Each structure stands twice: as structure tokens, then as C-alpha cells.
Amino acid sequence: MKLRDKVVVVTGGSDGIGRHICLKLASEGCRIAILGRNSARLDQVVAESLDLGAAEARAYSVDFMDAHALAHTAHLIESDFGGVDILINNAGVWHKAGPLDSIDADMLVTTVQTNLIALMQLTRHVLPSLRARDEAAILNVASKSGVVAQAGQSVYSATKYGVRGFTDVLKEDEAESGVRVAGLYQSGTNTGMFAKAGEDVPNHIFTEPEDLADVVVFMLSRPAKLWMHDVRVEL
């Protein structure tokens, strides 16, 4: 896929992996719809993206816990950009690792809604627009936790295994529609995700988010006859 002028929706684009994906796509000349919760950080990523050469960049502040807000945002993006070529589902939250009964009840709901349900809801809204394009793609940035069971991650892993299953079935469902579907399963990444949950981890040993963003752009920009539908990035 030639990325220049493609309309790309990136969730969780205000910081971390999502921010770096936006900046890499900007340098490819994409038109980017950037979704997140923090308006100020979103505006900063929009400014950075435009400076790097994005053909267009717009911020959409949305609460991923609110199904109606997600639907409204999807319709707004469709109206603003006239369609969508690529959906990158990247938004996610982490709960502090520990036994299931140590995980806060509200955090359990937030993790499942943000990491899995909102991803499916947004994809459902964007899918008709993707099908209308000559070439289109959905890339779900999941986690190694969707492939390997790791102690203390019961709820987080449940969401990521769910994303993996959703991705695999969506790939089969859209096999004849022209919408290509892929999952990216990465090890720990050097972002603020763990700190936000009060988890003290050795971030410095993890994959750098800008390197993971390079992988995303590489996956999306392969020739038409080559599609990398399941990519795993290990430390």
C-alpha cells in the first residue's frame, strides 16, 4: 500500500506507541485522525504531525468507555475526511499485575472496555467505510499478552487474547471484501502505560515505541501481493 494521502485512524494517539505511529505516518504524508482522551496532548501530536509532513491531521478527544461517543466520533471522522483507508487500534490500559482478587473492580471494567470492547465497537463503525475503498487495512496493536499467559495479568491477558481472536476471525470475515486485517503482538514497550497504573517496571530494557512504529509502517507499506497478518516483536 502506498501510504501518501491515505486516511488513517489511530487510537491512543496522544502518547506512547500511538504518538510515534502518528509521527511515522505523518512523515509518509498520510491524513491522520488521532483519537485519545487528553485534548492538550492530542493537539500537540497534531502540530508535530503537520510539521513532519502529514497531508492533514485532526484530533478527536473521546472517552473509550462511552459507546455513543465512539459512534459519534466515527461518524465525525467519516464526515471530516470523506472515508477511511486504515484503522490502527492501538489504545489500551494496563492494570497493576497481581492475583485476580487484587485487581480493582472498576479497573477490571475499564481494562476490558478500553482494550477490547471499544476496539470492536470502533471497528464496527469504521468497517463500512473501509470496505468502500480500493485498498484498506485494519491493524490491531495487541501485545505478547495475547499470545503468552503471564502471571498477574488475568484481566489484561483476557482482553489481549480477545483482540487476537477478534483479529483472526475478522481476517476470515473480510477475506473477500478487500480489507486486510493484521495483529501486532509486541513485548514490553518503553512507554508510560505501566507508570499510569502504579507499576514500577524496568522500562529502559523494553522496545522503544519509535522502533515499534517503524514496524507498523513497514507492515502497512508492503506490496499488494504481500500481507503480514501476524507479526510478533520480541525483546
Side-chain angles (χ1 to χ4, degrees), residues 17 27 30 42 48 64 70 73 79 84-85 91 122 130 157 226:
I17 296 170
S27 66
C30 293
L42 285 169
E48 291 177 292
F64 283 76
L70 283 169
T73 300
S79 174
V84 176
D85 298 295
L122 183 61
L130 292 167
S157 290
L226 175 62

Side-chain angles (χ1 to χ4, degrees), residues 36-37 77 81 102 121 156 161 171:
R37 291 177 295 182
I77 291 169
F81 286 90
S102 73
Q121 289 169 329
Y156 185 78
Y161 270 80
K171 177 176 177 285

Side-chain angles (χ1 to χ4, degrees), residues 9-19 21-22 34-37 42 60 62-65 70 87-94 110-120 122-123 139-143 156 159-160 163 186 193 196:
V9 175
V10 182
T11 71
S14 62
D15 61 6
I17 296 170
R19 171 178 172 268
I21 290 173
C22 290
I34 308 169
L35 279 62
R37 291 177 295 182
L42 285 169
Y60 299 86
V62 61
D63 181 359
F64 283 76
M65 301 296 291
L70 283 169
L87 170 61
I88 300 178
N89 286 308
N90 166 77
V93 295
W94 169 262
T110 296
T111 303
V112 175
Q113 172 65 36
T114 305
N115 293 4
L116 179 58
I117 298 176
L119 179 151
M120 293 190 290
L122 183 61
T123 301
L139 174 55
N140 295 326
V141 181
S143 168
Y156 185 78
T159 66
K160 296 305 183 178
V163 171
Q186 74 281 7
M193 185 180 74
K196 290 176 184 177

Side-chain angles (χ1 to χ4, degrees), residues 64-219:
F64 283 76
M65 301 296 291
D66 186 338
H68 294 294
L70 283 169
H72 173 73
T73 300
H75 293 313
L76 189 58
I77 291 169
E78 173 79 21
S79 174
D80 288 343
F81 286 90
V84 176
D85 298 295
I86 300 169
L87 170 61
I88 300 178
N89 286 308
N90 166 77
V93 295
W94 169 262
H95 62 72
K96 193 171 184 179
L100 178 60
D101 56 353
S102 73
I103 299 169
D104 178 78
D106 290 338
M107 191 62 199
L108 185 155
V109 173
T110 296
T111 303
V112 175
Q113 172 65 36
T114 305
N115 293 4
L116 179 58
I117 298 176
L119 179 151
M120 293 190 290
Q121 289 169 329
L122 183 61
T123 301
R124 178 175 174 272
H125 292 306
V126 174
L127 200 49
S129 181
L130 292 167
R131 288 178 182 146
R133 300 303 226 198
D134 291 334
E135 53 180 3
I138 298 170
L139 174 55
N140 295 326
V141 181
S143 168
K144 176 183 176 181
S145 296
V147 179
V148 179
Q150 299 173 87
Q153 298 185 20
S154 56
V155 178
Y156 185 78
S157 290
T159 66
K160 296 305 183 178
Y161 270 80
V163 171
R164 180 183 171 195
F166 175 71
T167 302
D168 289 346
V169 174
L170 195 64
K171 177 176 177 285
E172 297 300 320
D173 285 348
E174 298 303 317
E176 303 301 322
S177 74
V179 179
R180 295 187 170 190
V181 182
L184 176 60
Y185 305 95
Q186 74 281 7
S187 295
T189 308
N190 186 10
T191 69
M193 185 180 74
F194 299 106
K196 290 176 184 177
E199 192 90 78
D200 184 16
V201 299
N203 263 19
H204 65 281
I205 70 171
F206 294 156
T207 303
E208 295 301 326
E210 55 264 41
D211 293 333
L212 201 61
D214 278 335
V215 174
V216 169
V217 171
F218 181 81
M219 291 172 69

